[in-house]
Amino acid sequence: MTTELNNDIFYQIGNQSKDVYFVYNFEEQTFKYLNSSFEDVFELSAESVLNNPNLLLNCVHSEDKGLVINCFKECTGKKIARKYEFRIVCKDEFIKYIRVSVYPVLSQGNLKQLTGIVEDVSIAKTNNFHIEKINARKNTTLEIVSHDLKEPLAMIGLAVSDLLSNSLFDGQDRILKSLTFIKDMCERNVLLIRNLINHEFLSSSEIEIRKERADLICEIKDVIGFYQYAELNLFRSFEFISSEKKLYAMIDSMKFMQVINNLISNSIKFTPANGSIKIEVQDRGNTVLICVSDNGIGIPQHLQPYLFERFSIAMREGLHGEHSWGLGMSIIKTIIELHHGKIWFNSVEHQGSTFYIEIPK
């Protein structure tokens, strides 16, 4: 009697909801209940799916079908509640993102039903996607701008310092005051740019990550594309290599792309003009390997054991006097570990460095 009452309440809620409510009989492999919102979300006849549940798999995006099958096996095998997100293809090839919350119903330890709610999260997903893209491009653009401004500001500061150090303007307080002002402004503006770049990255270790399924190839290509566009101004060449056109993994896109951006930025900092920086992505089955390599000055052997420590003795200025904040590599390691991954490197002084990131898909 209690089961019937609970089902009745579930159906009443479902009949009033804009989300999809469902009850799936696991033993019979058929749906017992689909509310009216099902047809609005999936753009399929509810009656046809009640009679043939396999029709649902046909509307799943081709790149996500393997994911959906694995999710179903996980939920029915482990018999625990789960949330899944994947894409479906509706009429006119329109793609929707949906979130499925599944709750197994057991009887004497045996799985009897799967009940749950399906939400159309396309708008939120699209908005989040654009926010992440804007954030990644902002970080990359600031990094490029900092390199564009750094050298002229440094040259102005150097010229002014030279004027201040000789006796040409001795006794001319007004000129000396103006020169000191110019020198201070150069130093402050370089520091301001660097603070803007590092502020969000430095706070990353204090924020929990929110992992979602994302195409790593697309995300990394978007970041490296900005560097390739500006490579003439940066005086370095950038190369991206991947044998796969698409490669999905569960990541916090915003923070993971901050890691990639920071590694590229470090390569720029320690690679002389006309040097090269390469980013490579490899599919290793259950994991993904990302390599960021350069032919820069490398890391001295005596500093290598301390590289991932906060405020370690390994922090150094860049080739053009760029400041080292001592937190970057520590935060990179933290973010990678929050993704259940690992990071390591190989480096030979005066020959370059390669950083490796391996994360589970």
Side-chain angles (χ1 to χ4, degrees):
M1 183 64 184
T2 304
T3 303
E4 292 176 3
L5 179 61
N6 288 340
N7 280 344
D8 184 55
I9 294 173
F10 186 78
Y11 296 161
Q12 287 187 46
I13 296 172
N15 291 337
Q16 300 176 64
S17 176
K18 292 184 179 181
D19 295 327
V20 177
Y21 278 60
F22 68 87
V23 176
Y24 180 76
N25 189 307
F26 181 69
E27 294 177 330
E28 298 176 4
Q29 303 285 293
T30 58
F31 283 98
K32 286 184 61 180
Y33 172 71
L34 288 171
N35 68 343
S36 58
S37 296
F38 173 84
E39 296 188 357
D40 296 330
V41 173
F42 284 86
E43 299 181 18
L44 286 174
S45 164
E47 185 177 352
S48 64
V49 173
L50 285 169
N51 296 326
N52 184 9
N54 289 328
L55 289 175
L56 274 178
L57 192 60
N58 295 335
C59 73
V60 176
H61 194 289
S62 58
E63 294 175 3
D64 293 357
K65 284 187 178 180
L67 170 70
V68 170
I69 292 170
N70 288 336
C71 290
F72 182 79
K73 289 179 178 177
E74 179 189 46
C75 190
T76 55
K78 294 185 177 181
K79 303 172 185 175
I80 53 178
R82 280 282 192 265
K83 283 189 179 181
Y84 304 107
E85 287 187 7
F86 53 89
R87 294 167 292 175
I88 60 174
V89 182
C90 301
K91 294 177 182 177
D92 301 322
E93 300 299 309
F94 184 73
I95 296 174
K96 291 182 180 180
Y97 287 85
I98 63 170
R99 179 184 295 132
V100 183
S101 302
V102 188
Y103 306 95
V105 177
L106 307 178
S107 177
Q108 296 180 344
N110 297 318
L111 179 62
K112 295 296 182 181
Q113 294 179 347
L114 294 175
T115 62
I117 304 169
V118 180
E119 304 168 75
D120 182 352
V121 294
S122 301
I123 295 176
K125 195 78 174 178
T126 302
N127 290 342
N128 188 58
F129 174 79
H130 288 302
I131 289 169
E132 289 175 352
K133 288 293 182 187
I134 291 169
N135 186 72
R137 290 173 181 175
K138 175 206 68 182
N139 290 341
T140 306
T141 302
L142 281 173
E143 193 64 54
I144 292 169
V145 167
S146 76
H147 283 88
D148 286 344
L149 292 177
K150 176 190 72 243
E151 291 190 13
L153 286 172
M155 291 300 294
I156 293 170
L158 185 63
V160 171
S161 295
D162 183 60
L163 290 172
L164 288 169
S165 64
N166 64 48
S167 57
L168 182 63
F169 298 107
D170 284 354
Q172 301 185 50
D173 293 343
R174 184 174 179 181
I175 294 177
L176 290 172
K177 187 176 180 180
S178 296
L179 290 174
T180 303
F181 175 77
I182 293 170
K183 179 175 176 290
D184 290 343
M185 287 302 295
C186 287
E187 293 175 352
R188 287 179 185 178
N189 278 281
V190 170
L191 184 61
L192 173 64
I193 293 167
R194 181 53 52 186
N195 277 335
L196 285 172
I197 295 168
N198 281 278
H199 172 72
E200 194 164 329
F201 189 75
L202 292 175
S203 64
S204 294
S205 63
E206 309 301 328
I207 304 171
E208 291 185 4
I209 63 169
R210 185 172 62 87
K211 293 194 291 184
E212 295 181 325
R213 188 167 179 263
D215 181 0
L216 271 175
I217 303 298
C218 177
E219 299 278 354
I220 296 175
K221 282 178 70 175
D222 193 62
V223 171
I224 193 68
F226 273 76
Y227 285 105
Q228 289 174 325
Y229 181 77
E231 63 184 6
L232 290 177
N233 293 329
L234 295 174
F235 303 106
R236 292 150 182 91
S237 63
F238 297 86
E239 183 181 9
F240 178 70
I241 300 174
S242 173
S243 59
E244 309 294 328
K245 291 184 178 180
K246 291 181 179 290
L247 192 55
Y248 290 93
M250 295 294 291
I251 61 171
D252 184 317
S253 296
M254 193 175 294
K255 292 182 177 57
F256 197 83
M257 289 309 112
Q258 282 180 314
V259 167
I260 301 300
N261 188 67
N262 196 265
L263 288 175
I264 295 173
S265 173
N266 283 342
S267 289
I268 294 172
K269 189 189 301 183
F270 295 107
T271 301
N274 302 316
S276 60
I277 296 165
K278 181 171 68 175
I279 295 86
E280 185 174 0
V281 181
Q282 300 175 13
D283 186 352
R284 292 197 163 186
N286 293 325
T287 63
V288 178
L289 181 68
I290 302 164
C291 310
V292 179
S293 58
D294 62 64
N295 60 351
I297 62 172
I299 304 167
Q301 187 69 37
H302 71 280
L303 295 180
Q304 292 185 13
Y306 310 102
L307 191 67
F308 293 111
E309 293 181 1
R310 287 196 171 206
F311 304 109
S312 77
I313 61 171
M315 57 185 184
R316 325 175 265 169
E317 287 190 346
L319 295 178
H320 297 282
E322 300 95 333
H323 289 288
S324 175
W325 298 87
L327 285 169
M329 296 309 300
S330 171
I331 293 178
I332 284 175
K333 186 172 184 288
T334 299
I335 293 174
I336 297 304
E337 288 176 346
L338 286 171
H339 283 82
H340 304 292
K342 56 183 179 179
I343 181 171
W344 69 98
F345 66 93
N346 290 324
S347 184
V348 178
E349 197 169 5
H350 308 305
Q351 294 183 27
S353 304
T354 300
F355 283 83
Y356 303 91
I357 296 172
E358 188 170 21
I359 58 168
K361 287 197 293 188

